Structure formats: structure tokens, C-alpha cells
Amino acid sequence: MFEILEKDYSLFIREDNGKKIGVLTLKDDDVYKSVYELNDDELFFLSTFSNIDDLVSEDTAISVLYNKENKEYVAEIKQKTTIGEYNDQVVWNTVKSSSGSDFMEAVENLDRSLANNNSNSKRTR
């Protein structure tokens, strides 16, 4: 299903009012050309990656895109922040990133990296 990412779409999943929502978007500069909302069945894969699944919230999201130049998928954890004079602009900053030769490998690598971070932070306490 996520082969569409190779056609310049990106996947973005976050939580809204306690429910995970996901969209595939195609943008040209800052203009959205296509938006496809995923149903619950299409988001089910996320439950197999507990470290990512636990992080996804209204302020933390996962994004996956395909880097044509490097021919690899890039999975990122993004943190929501607001900017602007009136804090009226939402920006999603990347806080963690991993890549892989296919969609699942990129997400697995990100999940594993988060697990390693969790393990290291527990040891230093």
C-alpha cells in the first residue's frame, strides 16, 4: 500500500481527540495537490511498533517519506511546536529519524532506535 510514497506522497500519523489519524499527502511547494485519509485498518501496522505507537499523540507524530535521491524510505518522529507573533503557526520538527530500503525497514529501524534510547535513559537514572 505504501508504494505510493515513491510517487512523492508522504505519510503523517498523529492523534486527534484520542484517535490516531493518518493521511497520505502530495504537496507541490506548500500547495496540497492530493490528500487521502487512511482508515483504521490501514493504520493497524503501527500497533506492531510499540515504541512508536506509544509516542504518537496530539503533539508527537510519525512521518514517512521516500527519498528519491538516496532511494530509501525515511521514517521520522516529529514534535509539534507553535511559532509566530501570536503562536498561530504550527510547525512539526524532526526529533528522531531512521531510514531503510523499504517502508517497513525504515519504521522498524526507527522503532529499534527509540527502544535503544529508552533503554539507555533507564540505565542513566
Side-chain angles (χ1 to χ4, degrees):
M1 173 185 80
F2 293 115
E3 298 82 27
I4 195 169
L5 297 175
E6 293 182 21
K7 297 177 181 165
D8 296 327
Y9 278 78
S10 62
L11 170 66
F12 190 83
I13 302 170
R14 72 179 187 95
E15 202 170 88
D16 186 35
N17 293 323
K19 182 178 188 255
K20 287 193 176 47
I21 57 168
V23 292
L24 288 166
T25 57
L26 176 63
K27 283 175 51 172
D28 186 8
D29 292 320
D30 283 339
V31 177
Y32 285 94
K33 299 226 170 210
S34 176
V35 177
Y36 173 72
E37 188 171 343
L38 301 175
N39 62 43
D40 291 339
D41 291 344
E42 293 168 308
L43 294 174
F44 185 75
F45 78 93
L46 198 55
S47 65
T48 61
F49 302 103
S50 62
N51 296 297
I52 295 171
D53 196 34
D54 290 347
L55 277 179
V56 173
S57 67
E58 292 197 15
D59 295 328
T60 305
I62 179 175
S63 173
V64 183
L65 54 89
Y66 183 72
N67 182 323
K68 285 184 177 182
E69 190 175 302
N70 296 338
K71 295 183 179 172
E72 66 183 5
Y73 287 82
V74 179
E76 302 172 323
I77 295 295
K78 295 194 171 269
Q79 191 73 43
K80 178 180 167 183
T81 189
T82 55
I83 61 170
E85 186 174 344
Y86 302 103
N87 285 327
D88 57 347
Q89 297 173 328
V90 174
V91 177
W92 291 89
N93 295 312
T94 301
V95 294
K96 191 92 173 141
S97 162
S98 289
S99 60
S101 60
D102 63 33
F103 175 84
M104 290 305 277
E105 181 181 355
V107 177
E108 286 171 4
N109 288 341
L110 180 60
D111 193 65
R112 191 175 307 114
S113 176
L114 291 167
N116 289 340
N117 281 358
N118 290 342
S119 173
N120 290 339
S121 67
K122 286 178 184 175
R123 274 190 242 141
T124 58
R125 288 184 193 168

